[in-house]
Amino acid sequence: MSHPNAAFHRRIPALLSVAVAVALVSSACASTTPATSSAPTPAPSASPTAPASAAPAGSPVGSPSAGADAAADAVYDTVETQVQAIRGLQATRPVARQLITADELRTILTTEFDQETPPASLAANERLYKALGLIPADSSLRTLSLDLLSSGVAAFYRDDEGKLYVVSKTGEPGPTERFYFSHEFDHALQDQNSTIFKDFHDVHDQSDELLARQAIYEGDATLLMTQWAAANLTPADLGALLAAGNDPVAQAVMARTPPILSQTLQFPYTTGFAYVTNVQSNGGWPAVNAYFSKMPRSTEQILHPEKYTSGEAPVAVTMPSDLASRLGDGWSVPLQDTFGELQLGIWLRGAGVANADATKAAAGWGGDRLAVMDGPNDAWGVAIQTVWDTDADAVEFEAAAKTALEKAGGSAQVLPGAGGKTRWVVVASDPAVLGHVANALGLGG
């Protein structure tokens, strides 16, 4: 639920926003050598020379060809060799590649979004976001998501195809194309050397854990990409990359996108990048590889690395299995999921809680479970059961949540649950439905 299309994000796991790209390139510009790595790292060198004309946008560039296409293939083949040397992983089979235009990107993303996001799931997530005041009441979650992805995606790898795609305005292997190609090829190496993408293909209701996993494989590819750029792009290349990243149209889309979408999109590339950089600096790439078989369970473990190290797993929280029948005729529960520390913090900050207070209130998270409920006559309810590390953490969250619920898109309440560590956030279409939902949950609202 980091996005309404969790399955879609697993299928196309490598997204990079313009803002993130600019920050990373700035970092690469400040360094003349790659970060320390236990794997062999190529010495800094001039970038491969791009041919006068390369494969046209939308055409494959990963198969035998002649003339300019062959020259472009040679450039990308060189990048593959460089990435394998830096990353210390070897390709076990060829990886198909394709350059696409921005229009083709939008078409692909729209098709994938609609195929991977059932209408009922999209509607339930939209209900959730509007109930919590996370997106405007008159907005379309589908449109917001597709606008953000279409402006923020520079490249992606499809593990179901074993193929990577890079957006290109020229069709040539320039610095921007090679930069993002290195990121995507690292995803192909991850895919061929582990099961990190396949493991979550059929999971649709653990979005917080999905975000945590994304932080590892995107942080990995982002660090690799930065090291590759420092070793293989010239100052002129880096300048061109920065110029390409400063797209006012894309930046405007990012600026108007609600934080619950933009910040969860960027989290794997920013916080994940910092997390993986620390792991790699201390243990080399083998330490990063170790995560492939023991992935984090929550964004809490990414935001607080010591909790991953100590093995502090999320508390298992469940909703009543008979919730729909408790609510009565005409009621259904189209969505259950886990929100997690990251998204709770985004919600609190976006709803008027001071940044420091919101961060502190979310930091005591132990576990949660949410449900979206649809009833007859346009009745609806949203409930989030949260469990906190201590009673004091629960009290702190309750105070922050009450402030945040002042912007809720319905009648709302924070209610105590069993024991001092549990708090429920309940929002409903009107006060009568709020009471009905709370009673069904055993809260006596």
Side-chain angles (χ1 to χ4, degrees):
M1 198 194 49
S2 59
H3 301 280
N5 48 332
F8 175 76
H9 278 266
R10 281 192 295 276
R11 180 61 56 83
I12 301 182
L15 311 176
L16 198 65
S17 71
V18 171
V20 174
V22 170
L24 290 172
V25 178
S26 297
S27 173
C29 285
S31 173
T32 57
T33 58
T36 302
S37 170
S38 61
T41 304
S45 61
S47 356
T49 302
S53 63
S59 65
V61 293
S63 56
S65 53
D69 288 358
D73 284 346
V75 171
Y76 290 112
D77 288 345
T78 297
V79 176
E80 289 188 358
T81 299
Q82 293 163 341
V83 168
Q84 289 175 89
I86 295 172
R87 188 58 184 80
L89 293 176
Q90 297 300 307
T92 60
R93 57 186 179 274
V95 179
R97 346 162 166 145
Q98 186 170 340
L99 299 185
I100 57 174
T101 66
D103 288 344
E104 289 170 328
L105 170 69
R106 178 82 184 207
T107 298
I108 292 171
L109 291 177
T110 301
T111 299
E112 286 294 309
F113 187 100
D114 290 340
Q115 288 178 349
E116 299 289 343
T117 311
S121 174
L122 179 63
N125 276 278
E126 185 169 298
R127 171 75 72 200
L128 170 69
Y129 290 153
K130 289 180 178 179
L132 294 177
L134 287 164
I135 65 174
D138 60 352
S139 64
S140 160
L141 183 54
R142 179 180 181 274
T143 299
L144 287 170
S145 298
L146 286 172
D147 285 350
L148 175 63
L149 294 173
S150 297
S151 68
V153 173
F156 59 89
Y157 171 75
R158 288 190 57 151
D159 64 283
D160 61 324
E161 295 179 346
K163 181 177 181 178
L164 63 84
Y165 298 78
V166 178
V167 179
S168 175
K169 292 182 178 180
T170 66
E172 297 182 358
T176 301
E177 288 83 358
R178 299 197 309 276
F179 182 64
Y180 292 118
F181 182 92
S182 70
H183 183 113
E184 303 315 321
F185 187 69
D186 185 50
H187 282 311
L189 295 179
Q190 294 168 346
D191 186 29
Q192 292 183 12
N193 286 275
S194 75
T195 59
I196 57 173
F197 300 144
K198 299 176 180 62
D199 289 346
F200 246 55
H201 270 187
D202 297 322
V203 177
H204 304 282
D205 62 352
Q206 295 291 340
S207 293
D208 183 62
E209 184 173 355
L210 172 61
L211 270 171
R213 296 170 69 90
Q214 286 178 319
I216 297 301
Y217 58 73
E218 295 297 356
D220 173 334
T222 302
L223 174 59
L224 175 282
M225 175 177 66
T226 305
Q227 292 187 359
W228 177 87
N232 296 288
L233 293 183
T234 67
D237 289 335
L238 292 169
L241 192 52
L242 278 171
N246 287 315
D247 179 355
V249 175
Q251 291 175 343
V253 172
M254 184 67 71
R256 69 173 180 260
T257 300
I260 192 62
L261 300 180
S262 61
Q263 291 182 19
T264 51
L265 176 70
Q266 293 188 43
F267 172 78
Y269 304 94
T270 53
T271 306
F273 170 66
Y275 187 101
V276 174
T277 296
N278 182 62
V279 171
Q280 198 266 348
S281 295
N282 288 311
W285 286 110
V288 179
N289 296 343
Y291 278 79
F292 291 177
S293 57
K294 188 181 179 183
M295 292 293 253
R297 298 280 310 281
S298 66
T299 56
E300 177 188 49
Q301 292 185 336
I302 298 295
L303 294 165
H304 311 280
E306 70 279 3
K307 297 198 173 187
Y308 173 85
T309 303
S310 68
E312 183 177 327
V315 175
V317 181
T318 60
M319 286 286 174
S321 59
D322 60 346
L323 180 56
S325 62
R326 289 188 187 190
L327 289 163
D329 291 344
W331 281 89
S332 63
V333 183
L335 176 70
Q336 287 199 39
D337 208 336
T338 299
F339 218 39
E341 179 179 341
L342 173 70
Q343 293 185 100
L344 282 173
I346 293 172
W347 171 52
L348 295 175
R349 285 188 291 272
V353 180
N355 284 352
D357 293 340
T359 299
K360 191 169 183 292
W365 181 88
D368 72 59
R369 194 68 176 163
L370 67 85
V372 174
M373 296 153 277
D374 286 342
N377 303 315
D378 296 323
W380 58 265
V382 168
I384 308 176
Q385 181 183 184
T386 64
V387 178
W388 299 87
D389 291 339
T390 67
D391 290 6
D393 289 329
V395 171
E396 191 169 49
F397 169 74
E398 179 178 355
K402 285 180 177 178
T403 297
L405 285 176
E406 293 174 5
K407 293 189 176 181
S411 300
Q413 233 178 333
V414 181
L415 298 170
K421 297 180 183 180
T422 301
R423 293 295 186 278
W424 287 79
V425 173
V426 185
V427 188
S429 48
D430 59 55
V433 174
L434 177 67
H436 179 66
V437 168
N439 285 328
L441 293 168
L443 303 176

